[in-house]
Amino acid sequence: MKSTSIRSVSSVVVETAFFLVVFCFFRKKVVSLHYPNECEHMKNYLMSEAIGDIAGSAYEGRTHRIKDYDKVKLFSSRARFTDDTVLTFACAEAFIDHLDMTMNLWKCANEHRHAGFGSRFKLWMADHNPQPYSSLGNGSAMRCSSAGWLAQSEEECVRMATETAAPTHNHPEGIKGAVATALTIFHLKNGKDKDFVREQILDEYYPDWSNQRYADFHDSYTFNSTCAGTVGPALICFLESKDYVDCIKLAIALGGDSDTLAAIAGPMAYAYYKKMPDALVYQAMKMLPDWMVKVSERFDEEVNLKK
C-alpha cells in the first residue's frame, strides 16, 4: 500500500510538472500574440533619432523650410547630423558608461562645436563650470530618447529623462518636454497604442494640442524652438503617421524646426512600428563619427539585455 501511494504521488507530481511546462509554453505564445508591439529583434535604437535629425537638417533655415510633403527628400546633399544627434548620443553614453551627465554633454558638445548649437548653449559650452540656465527650449526633448529605451519602469523613465534635461533645461517646461518624449517611447516600446499616447501623454502634457489634427495647424505652423511649441506637434506627426518614414516626412513638412521635430518624432515611430528602412540606417551610420557608431552598438546591447 505504501509503495503504491508513493508511486501515485510521484506520478501526480510528474504529471503536474509536465502540465505546468506545457501551460507556460503556450501562455508565453499567447502573451506574445497578445502584445504584438513588444520589442523583439530590434537594434539601432539611437539611429531612430539620428535619421530624423539628418533628414530634417537639410530643411533647416528660413530659405530651406518646406511645407510640401511630396517634395521632402530624405538625405539630400545638404543633410548632416546636428547638435540634436551629438547630445542624444552623449546622453546615451553617459547612461551606459555611468558618466556624469553634465560633463559628458559638455565634452561631446565641445568636440563638435560646429554642429549647430544655439547661442545660449554655446555660452554654456564655453564655461568650464557649466551650470543650468533654466531653458525651456526643445533641446531637452530632442536628446532624451535613451531614457525611454533604457527605462524599466515609468518612474525610472521620468527620473532618467529629467537627468538628461537638468544640466541645461531645468525650467519646468524643459523638464516636461523631455519627460513627455521619453515616456512616449517607453510606453510604445512596451506595447501601448496610439490612443494611449494621445490620452495619457498629449492630453496630459500638452492639452493645447490635444484636440488638434495635423491638417489643422500645418499651414499656419512656423518655426518654434520651445518644448511647448515642438513636442505637441511632434506627437501629432507620430499619431497620424503610417510608418517610420511617413512620420519623419510629416515632421519635416511642418516647415518648422525640422531636424528637431523629426529627431523627437523618429524614436516614437520606431518604438511603435518596430521597423526602419535598412538603407536609411546605413546612410545615416556612414555620416556619423566612430565614437557614435560604437555608442550605438553598445547601447543596443544594453537595451536588449534589459528586455
Side-chain angles (χ1 to χ4, degrees), residues 121-300:
F121 193 89
K122 286 180 179 178
L123 293 176
W124 182 85
M125 290 166 56
D127 193 334
H128 288 274
N129 182 29
Q131 299 297 316
Y133 51 92
S134 197
S135 174
L136 46 73
N138 55 25
S140 62
M142 58 78 170
R143 71 190 190 212
C144 69
S145 59
S146 56
W149 291 120
L150 286 170
Q152 295 292 287
S153 68
E154 187 170 312
E155 294 72 21
E156 184 181 29
C157 185
V158 170
R159 177 185 62 76
M160 294 176 73
T162 301
E163 187 178 343
T164 66
T168 52
H169 292 60
N170 58 329
H171 187 283
E173 287 296 320
I175 298 292
K176 184 171 77 171
V179 169
T181 300
L183 279 176
T184 301
I185 297 165
F186 169 78
H187 286 302
L188 290 171
K189 77 173 185 181
N190 287 317
K192 298 297 185 182
D193 60 16
K194 290 184 176 183
D195 288 339
F196 179 92
V197 170
R198 180 173 288 278
E199 294 166 7
Q200 299 300 318
I201 306 294
L202 185 62
D203 292 357
E204 292 295 320
Y205 286 86
Y206 294 102
D208 289 346
W209 293 96
S210 63
N211 293 320
Q212 298 205 50
R213 295 293 184 268
Y214 186 86
D216 296 336
F217 61 89
H218 170 268
D219 292 350
S220 61
Y221 188 80
T222 58
F223 182 91
N224 192 312
S225 62
T226 67
C227 277
T230 306
V231 179
L235 280 161
I236 293 169
C237 289
F238 157 66
L239 290 170
E240 298 197 21
S241 66
K242 299 175 183 177
D243 54 36
Y244 178 83
V245 171
D246 185 46
C247 180
I248 297 298
K249 293 181 70 173
L250 286 171
I252 294 171
L254 278 178
D257 191 356
S258 56
D259 61 333
T260 299
L261 282 160
I264 294 170
M268 298 176 185
Y270 187 40
Y272 181 74
Y273 296 113
K274 310 292 188 252
K275 294 180 181 178
M276 297 183 293
D278 290 340
L280 291 183
V281 175
Y282 175 72
Q283 284 180 280
M285 196 79 78
K286 288 196 304 180
M287 297 183 182
L288 301 183
D290 287 344
W291 77 268
M292 288 189 192
V293 174
K294 291 175 182 177
V295 167
S296 177
E297 293 171 351
R298 293 192 296 117
F299 187 81
D300 287 350

